[in-house]
Amino acid sequence: MKIISEVKDAKKIAIGGHVRPDGDCVCSVMALYRYLQKELPETQIDVYLEKPAAVFDCIQDIDKICSDFQTDQVYDVFFALDSNDERLGDALSIYQKAGRRINIDHHISNTGCGDLNIIEPQRSSTAELLYDLMDPEKVDEEIAKAVYLGIAHDTGVFRYSNTSPHTMEMAAKLLRFGFDFSALLEHTFYEKTYVQTQIMGRAVLESVRFMNDRCIVSMVSRRMMDFYQVNTKDLDGIVNQLQVVSGVDCAIFMYEIGTLQYKVSMRSNGKVNVADVAVKFGGGGHVRAAGCTMNGTYHDNINNLSREIAGQMKRAEQKERA
Ligand code: AMP
Ligand code: MN
Ligand code: MN
């Protein structure tokens, strides 16, 4: 399937992604936006997404994103990228009203929520999947840059196990456009503000290991966020920092989003399927990176997650022995 053949008769197209959009989500949405704008200059194309982190200001037209979801517009086509319908947040009603819904995603937990579903869990990122749906002749430097950054963010800069030979071949093609990839990665992925570094340090300092040191957990409360004057976007990367501790099979990071409500992020080295754990609590993701929202006290949430993780570890060990 090529994207344009699906939408060439549409007069109004909307593009959206998941709540708290990450690099893959932001960049996929923006790459598709530019691609469709170039290909269909007569068509109205709107992007609905929560405001991306400031580091993505380097992506062209990022200021065209509409983060106000109150609209009477009814679209002929809505592209939901890197997300299922449940994670579209306030864009859900716009999605539901659209004439045709196209869902493009790589989350193993997504069973497809569109009239057309392109869900490929073996893909590193939605950006990678999207690029293969584009006509390479029509891709320009700005699109290439967004696709490259989307892939880089979801692979931890080509480091996680979702990085395939195909991912690298694609990255090589994209680099030929000549953008300054090194500066872009530095700016959007590695660079942290002082307070981001401080709160990461605090979370690491207060982390606790359990289950014979095979799991590690930490939490950031609303009070801590107020103290350091940070918001939830400033907490990216903390769970990854916990995961690199040697001997750890599963890292858990939570931050408070409301009274007795936490956003949970999990990372695994493959021994624990954190997507399965997250799905049990209404979330989802990938085998090695997943998330969910949980209600209850911090300690109750740890207990509930531990039960699932311990069950998985036990089953994995039984399988190894058999
Ligand atoms: P995070 O821990 O938020 O960085 O998310 C890790 C991975 O799991 C990402 O691919 C997310 O898109 C996915 N994910 C996080 N939370 C959820 C959720 N509630 N439902 C489905 N997927 C999720
Ligand atoms: Mn994402
Ligand atoms: Mn993704």
Side-chain angles (χ1 to χ4, degrees):
M1 170 250 170
K2 288 284 176 207
I3 291 170
I4 296 302
S5 61
E6 293 293 327
V7 295
K8 59 181 182 315
D9 299 324
K11 301 265 175 303
K12 288 182 184 188
I13 300 174
I15 308 170
H18 59 76
V19 290
R20 292 184 282 272
D22 53 15
D24 181 33
C25 184
V26 172
C27 294
S28 295
V29 161
M30 294 314 296
L32 181 60
Y33 175 68
R34 183 165 170 89
Y35 184 78
L36 291 178
Q37 273 213 321
K38 278 183 68 190
E39 285 298 285
L40 307 168
E42 305 297 315
T43 309
Q44 177 188 332
I45 302 163
D46 297 326
V47 176
Y48 291 95
L49 199 65
E50 285 179 12
K51 194 169 164 39
V55 290
F56 294 109
D57 286 356
C58 56
I59 303 287
Q60 198 182 43
D61 288 338
I62 199 94
D63 55 324
K64 303 272 163 57
I65 288 178
C66 177
S67 299
D68 175 3
F69 303 97
Q70 302 294 325
T71 178
D72 297 329
Q73 299 264 2
V74 177
Y75 292 89
D76 299 314
V77 178
F78 192 118
F79 282 94
L81 304 185
D82 201 42
S83 183
N84 59 10
D85 47 0
E86 284 162 15
R87 287 181 85 211
L88 288 174
D90 292 337
L92 180 63
S93 58
I94 312 171
Y95 178 76
Q96 283 169 333
K97 276 189 283 177
R100 185 164 159 74
R101 293 169 289 245
I102 302 181
N103 188 198
I104 303 177
D105 192 13
H106 69 127
H107 287 95
I108 198 162
S109 52
N110 187 359
T111 48
C113 62
D115 303 304
L116 174 64
N117 298 303
I118 307 168
I119 315 287
E120 298 188 9
Q122 78 283 9
R123 297 291 195 156
S124 67
S125 51
T126 298
E128 178 187 318
L129 172 53
L130 192 63
Y131 183 70
D132 272 333
L133 301 173
M134 292 177 177
D135 178 348
E137 301 284 302
K138 307 286 167 62
V139 170
D140 64 14
E141 184 176 331
E142 286 303 323
I143 299 170
K145 193 165 110 179
V147 171
Y148 177 86
L149 277 185
I151 298 172
H153 274 251
D154 253 22
T155 56
V157 190
F158 308 99
R159 184 163 58 98
Y160 304 152
S161 60
N162 57 357
T163 311
S164 69
H166 183 71
T167 314
M168 298 308 277
E169 281 153 13
M170 189 177 283
K173 278 185 210 154
L174 294 166
L175 283 190
R176 295 216 163 81
F177 283 88
F179 51 83
D180 188 349
F181 72 93
S182 176
L184 285 167
L185 290 176
E186 210 49 62
H187 178 63
T188 67
F189 192 86
Y190 292 107
E191 199 179 287
K192 297 224 173 281
T193 62
Y194 184 55
V195 285
Q196 285 169 345
T197 311
Q198 278 188 307
I199 202 154
M200 180 183 285
R202 169 106 184 239
V204 174
L205 190 71
E206 293 183 1
S207 66
V208 175
R209 288 187 295 174
F210 60 103
M211 269 190 218
N212 291 327
D213 297 347
R214 292 174 70 183
C215 292
I216 188 165
V217 65
S218 192
M219 185 269 282
V220 163
S221 65
R222 283 254 146 233
R223 267 182 71 184
M224 277 193 229
M225 284 189 253
D226 290 345
F227 180 80
Y228 291 100
Q229 301 263 294
V230 296
N231 61 43
T232 59
K233 288 183 194 130
D234 296 310
L235 307 177
D236 279 359
I238 294 180
V239 69
N240 306 78
Q241 196 57 45
L242 296 173
Q243 203 218 337
V244 298
V245 174
S246 57
V248 161
D249 288 331
C250 183
I252 305 169
F253 174 65
M254 289 184 218
Y255 60 82
E256 202 181 355
I257 50 176
T259 310
L260 292 180
Q261 193 173 51
Y262 293 87
K263 164 76 178 78
V264 179
S265 288
M266 289 178 281
R267 296 293 182 271
S268 134
N269 58 9
K271 288 197 184 116
V272 176
N273 180 339
V274 287
D276 276 358
V277 177
V279 165
K280 286 261 162 51
F281 299 101
H286 314 279
V287 173
R288 291 173 184 237
C292 56
T293 298
M294 290 179 84
N295 297 308
T297 67
Y298 173 51
H299 288 101
D300 281 347
N301 291 342
I302 298 176
N303 283 339
N304 289 330
L305 290 166
S306 304
R307 205 176 317 115
E308 292 301 325
I309 294 166
Q312 285 219 8
M313 284 180 173
K314 208 165 150 196
R315 279 192 294 278
E317 274 154 23
Q318 278 164 351
K319 233 193 243 166
E320 262 171 39
R321 264 188 255 121

